[in-house]
Amino acid sequence: MNLLSEVTSVKGIGEKTAEALHKAGIYTVRDLLYFLPRDYENFQAAVKIKDLKPGKIMIKGKISGLSTRHARKRNLSITSGKITDETGSIRVVWFNQAYRAKQFDEQREYYFTGNYDLRAGRYQLTSPSAILAEDVDGALPVSNSAVSAPTASFRPIYSQKGGIKPAQFNKFFANLRTLFADIPDLLPPEFAKSGKRAEALYNSHFPDNDREAREARKYLAYEEVFELLLAAQLSKQENVKLKAESLKFDAKKTQGLVKSLPFKLTNAQRVATWDILQDLEKSTPMNRLLQGDVGSGKTVVAAIAAYQTYSNGFQTALLAPTAILATQHYEGLKSLLEPLGMKLALLTGSTKHKTEIKTALKEGKIDLLIGTHAIITDDTTFQGLALCIIDEQHRFGVAQRQKLLLKTARNTKKSDSNVDFAPHLLAMTATPIPRSLQLTIFGDLDISVINELPKGRKQIKTEIIKETSQRELLYPKINTEIKNGHQVYWICKNIDDNPVLETTSVKRQAKKLQEIFKGKKIEFLHGRMKPAEKDEIMERFSRGKTDILVSTTVVEVGVNVPNASVIVIMDAENYGLAQLHQLRGRVGRGDVQSFCYLITNAENEPTRRLREMEKSTDGFHLAEVDLKLRGPGEIYGALQHGALDLRIATLSDTPLIAKASRDAKKLAQEFLQNEDSMVKYKELMSGISHYQQLTTLN
Ligand code: ADP
Ligand code: MG
């Protein structure tokens, strides 16, 4: 048996069990070994109910009398019952876990682990985890001696997977115990002592204590991140083999453009611009992410890059996630770049003369095409596309970004004769991404950061408002803002009223506000409207014709209305920090004092998240907090899937990721100098090919 053997070669795994394991993605012995325990539990720590002291506790007992009731106002379900052992009984409560009421067999014993403390005048066990006692006790190694092994009670707990019970996994690993010594190293000796991997895997499944288990996991997490980042590094080296147009920097021309701006560039903008203009001069494609908080002025940096491309006789494509945003870019950039001789065109779903524009594009009569990514279809051909800018890149995700680029490259006439040709890529995002995530999601990109806002911007004042008791106080403030000629965003969670969700809807809110703010112009906007209709509403708002725009989060991305000075966010506790910060960035874009009101429904104290919003306007700080509070999946999950699919590592472990990144870079360098040395690390290379498929260009 070796790592690549089928799971059926493990004692105790027959055809049927194997089938169940396959469903869970476990095919080989290696897959099985990497199915790590979800937790460890010291079952000897279970105490009798009569001896309970407040704090984190474990008891073994039967459960009875479970029922669930709903506290409708607080959006809460409360499931409670009684746990009994031979010495007494205690109350148990779960919040918002209504399934618990049906989960237990009253005839059987369970281990319960959780916090036992005083709540509303009585002691109770709150939201404990539970595990069937016979699964634990039955799987304990049978000992012939009267004294059981001292480690037997410190046991790994596996998740149920593919219908296979946790305790069965304990048995599989017990049967594999002798194999562990033979597990080969994964990484070269300069990165990990020989035998380290075997030891870490062993200690994950058979730890003597908590410390051993934690250290083992930490090492395996390091290996995992190492693989991911090595994949990114190797993709990057592949990318270097591609060719791009070298776009020469012309100091005089660039200065001419910069001088024509109505403002002075910030230092951070200068540094980022310089990074980019230097990249454009190279004959390998730029692959750079420009990160800058909302309002930090990324667009003008992109404009300077497009101008350098034009000065060299080539075309630029600027892709935005929505038609509204594309239109706004078009209008802003036209007034800046057309006086310098550039020809711009806008292409969105609702553009009238598509064919003319496409013909002009093919003939090289358009220098900068702005549109949504949907416009890059097979019949959009450029004469000489040399730069592709993707705005609000976080909306696209890694895989999509690469596909888009590839398609764009194919759509250049030049690429027909030269398959290795690719445009330079500048991806921009206003979602501040913590350093550890940057490395894992964008490990193959160079990154520039604009970490400074233009001078003169006033800090947005943020305040938490309790819906029930303080909302009325808000109205005079809003009236004053409108009287002073400013505008208001009013964000709601839903479009329509929904009997199940208690969050506010756009439609009802708009009606209600019309009664409160009589005579004011109020409109609403949501994602289910036709694009043309949305555009019109947005247009009226940006021309100052609307006082209050009631909207769902469709206004989140990039929209720029400097005259808007207030944003009210209903049901604010329902959003993550990153999103709240994005929403808040809709105001404070001009030089007027702006306000953000977070309306919360909760009767409880405002959440930590809302308090952080009140305290800080630093997007990077908020992103770090969000990562800690909610984990990366919640925040970036659906968008960046693939790179975040880590099984072991925690993305908030910044030092570990930084070390893995340095080490992976070193190894990638060695591989570059000596390609043959890759062959020595077969398992490593096959592991990373999985990641590379997600990020590579070709
Ligand atoms: P974002 O980074 O969110 O895309 P924008 O590029 O839309 O930000 O810029 C926001 C606003 O700030 C725009 O109105 C832009 O003209 C203005 N702006 C950009 N750079 C500066 C600067 N250095 N000084 C003053 N205003 C600036
Ligand atoms: Mg922008």
Side-chain angles (χ1 to χ4, degrees), residues 81 101 143 160 162 214 286 411 433 479 483-484 497 674 692:
S143 170
Q160 177 150 329
R214 258 185 292 130
M286 167 170 79
N411 287 9
I433 300 165
N479 264 321
K483 214 163 65 215
N484 292 338
D497 275 351
N674 179 8
Q692 273 191 310

Side-chain angles (χ1 to χ4, degrees), residues 57 74 135 141 165 170 180 204 228 469 546 555 596 651 678:
I57 56 117
R74 283 197 290 161
D135 279 352
K165 292 239 169 72
N170 294 74
F180 282 87
S204 298
L228 170 66
S469 54
T546 318
V555 293
C596 171
L651 284 169
M678 283 194 202

Side-chain angles (χ1 to χ4, degrees), residues 263-266 269 293-300 454 457 560 589:
F263 46 72
K264 257 184 80 183
L265 290 179
T266 62
Q269 279 172 320
D293 217 335
V294 275
S296 62
K298 294 180 292 293
T299 317
V300 66
R457 294 272 168 82
N560 191 23
R589 309 199 123 227

Side-chain angles (χ1 to χ4, degrees), residues 55-266:
K56 188 169 190 247
I57 56 117
M58 177 190 280
I59 51 172
K60 182 178 171 182
K62 290 181 179 169
I63 195 159
S64 60
L66 279 177
S67 69
T68 299
R69 67 188 173 84
H70 294 273
R72 201 173 139 65
K73 220 164 170 197
R74 283 197 290 161
N75 215 352
L76 200 66
S77 82
I78 303 167
T79 304
S80 62
K82 197 167 79 170
I83 298 172
T84 309
D85 72 4
E86 65 276 18
T87 69
S89 57
I90 55 168
R91 180 178 147 85
V92 60
V93 174
W94 284 279
F95 296 108
N96 285 338
Q97 297 183 29
Y99 68 92
R100 294 286 192 186
K102 295 205 183 73
Q103 186 193 13
F104 298 100
D105 178 346
E106 294 200 351
Q107 306 306 316
R108 293 161 118 162
E109 282 185 310
Y110 296 84
Y111 284 100
F112 295 94
T113 311
N115 259 314
Y116 178 67
D117 50 20
L118 199 59
R119 295 238 182 159
R122 55 179 159 172
Y123 277 100
Q124 67 180 42
L125 181 59
T126 308
S127 298
S129 65
I131 181 164
L132 194 60
E134 62 205 54
D135 279 352
V136 172
D137 301 344
L140 289 178
V142 188
S143 170
N144 291 329
S145 74
V147 190
S148 64
T151 58
S153 59
F154 188 79
R155 292 170 27 84
I157 303 179
Y158 297 92
S159 311
Q160 177 150 329
K161 201 87 207 222
I164 296 182
K165 292 239 169 72
Q168 272 180 282
F169 283 105
N170 294 74
K171 284 187 189 134
F172 301 154
F173 288 112
N175 291 337
L176 275 172
R177 211 165 169 145
T178 50
L179 176 91
F180 282 87
D182 299 329
I183 296 174
D185 296 335
L186 181 73
L187 302 182
E190 49 183 309
F191 302 110
K193 229 172 51 230
S194 179
K196 183 88 187 159
R197 179 197 193 195
E199 179 191 289
L201 280 168
Y202 183 85
N203 284 347
S204 298
H205 295 290
F206 306 102
D208 279 341
N209 51 50
D210 197 44
R211 184 183 47 80
E212 239 179 50
R214 258 185 292 130
E215 272 171 17
R217 205 174 182 89
K218 189 155 184 164
Y219 175 74
L220 294 175
Y222 165 76
E223 277 197 353
E224 179 176 40
V225 177
F226 188 106
E227 268 193 355
L228 170 66
L229 297 183
L230 182 62
Q233 284 302 316
L234 295 179
S235 295
K236 196 168 172 172
Q237 290 176 2
E238 281 299 306
N239 195 34
V240 168
K241 291 182 192 151
L242 296 172
K243 282 216 164 16
E245 292 301 339
S246 156
L247 306 167
K248 293 288 174 252
F249 171 66
D250 183 328
K252 232 175 161 177
K253 281 192 168 157
T254 306
Q255 272 161 17
L257 169 55
V258 171
K259 281 214 185 89
S260 78
L261 294 171
F263 46 72
K264 257 184 80 183
L265 290 179
T266 62

Side-chain angles (χ1 to χ4, degrees), residues 359-628:
T359 310
L361 199 62
K362 203 191 261 172
E363 291 169 354
K365 288 181 184 145
I366 291 168
D367 305 305
L368 171 56
L369 178 74
I370 299 170
T372 50
H373 63 285
I375 60 162
I376 302 297
T377 51
D378 291 334
D379 64 338
T380 323
T381 310
F382 295 81
Q383 188 198 44
L385 178 74
L387 171 63
C388 183
I389 302 169
I390 304 180
D391 194 19
E392 305 297 348
Q393 120 87 35
H394 65 283
R395 283 273 152 145
F396 294 106
V398 179
Q400 221 181 337
R401 174 189 87 212
Q402 299 295 357
K403 271 190 211 125
L404 203 60
L405 195 59
L406 196 59
K407 199 166 202 175
T408 321
R410 281 208 200 96
N411 287 9
T412 292
K413 273 195 184 161
K414 173 135 193 167
S415 68
D416 295 340
S417 53
N418 184 351
V419 280
D420 284 327
F421 179 88
H424 296 284
L425 170 71
L426 176 63
M428 308 199 285
T429 179
T431 306
I433 300 165
R435 178 83 189 134
S436 58
L437 274 189
Q438 281 177 21
L439 285 170
T440 48
I441 303 177
F442 301 115
D444 58 332
L445 291 189
D446 296 314
I447 297 180
S448 295
V449 176
I450 305 184
N451 53 4
E452 169 188 10
L453 290 182
K455 287 206 180 53
R457 294 272 168 82
K458 296 199 175 67
Q459 284 250 330
I460 302 168
K461 290 194 176 140
T462 303
E463 211 181 310
I464 300 171
I465 306 272
K466 292 200 173 173
E467 162 89 63
T468 37
S469 54
Q470 299 169 317
R471 187 172 155 156
E472 308 268 303
L473 303 176
L474 196 58
Y475 301 148
K477 297 187 194 180
I478 288 178
N479 264 321
T480 311
E481 286 299 308
I482 296 176
K483 214 163 65 215
N484 292 338
H486 298 308
Q487 293 161 276
V488 179
Y489 290 106
W490 202 291
I491 307 298
C492 303
K493 191 88 190 163
N494 312 107
I495 300 174
D496 302 298
D497 275 351
N498 181 324
V500 182
L501 302 167
E502 290 188 40
T503 41
T504 17
S505 74
V506 166
K507 289 179 183 165
R508 175 143 51 139
Q509 197 63 210
K511 227 189 236 162
K512 190 168 165 185
L513 292 176
Q514 194 67 75
E515 282 161 25
I516 295 165
F517 300 100
K518 289 213 170 66
K520 303 283 187 286
K521 183 93 176 56
I522 298 177
E523 291 209 72
F524 65 84
L525 177 73
H526 58 74
R528 238 190 278 138
M529 292 172 155
K530 292 212 178 70
E533 197 181 354
K534 275 193 283 195
D535 288 353
E536 278 166 31
I537 293 167
M538 226 28 241
E539 167 97 11
R540 282 196 290 275
F541 188 68
S542 67
R543 293 198 191 287
K545 298 224 153 67
T546 318
D547 298 313
I548 302 179
L549 182 65
V550 186
S551 171
T552 57
T553 55
V554 290
V555 293
E556 182 194 337
V557 166
V559 176
N560 191 23
V561 182
N563 191 46
S565 67
V566 180
I567 184 161
V568 179
I569 304 173
M570 303 296 294
D571 304 300
E573 68 275 7
N574 285 296
Y575 300 91
L577 273 174
Q579 203 177 10
L580 288 173
H581 180 66
Q582 279 275 329
L583 284 168
R584 180 168 59 184
R586 295 311 104 221
V587 298
R589 309 199 123 227
D591 42 20
V592 300
Q593 177 61 55
S594 295
F595 304 88
C596 171
Y597 298 110
L598 305 168
I599 308 234
T600 164
N601 220 338
E603 290 166 11
N604 306 340
E605 279 305 289
T607 57
R608 161 110 190 262
R609 251 185 283 162
L610 296 189
R611 291 228 176 278
E612 287 289 343
M613 281 293 291
E614 240 181 355
K615 273 196 298 210
S616 172
T617 50
D618 176 350
F620 277 92
H621 168 74
L622 293 172
E624 294 279 359
V625 175
D626 217 15
L627 182 63
K628 283 207 192 87

Side-chain angles (χ1 to χ4, degrees), residues 312-362:
N312 280 268
F314 289 92
Q315 293 167 301
T316 300
L318 168 55
L319 306 175
T322 63
I324 296 176
L325 204 54
T327 310
Q328 218 166 56
H329 278 321
Y330 174 69
E331 277 162 11
L333 293 176
K334 203 169 138 122
S335 60
L336 179 65
L337 296 173
E338 289 209 335
L340 300 169
M342 278 179 79
K343 202 71 192 94
L344 276 69
L346 175 70
L347 193 55
T348 68
S350 56
T351 301
K352 299 246 163 54
H353 307 284
K354 285 201 183 77
T355 328
E356 280 96 322
I357 290 178
K358 286 183 180 174
T359 310
L361 199 62
K362 203 191 261 172

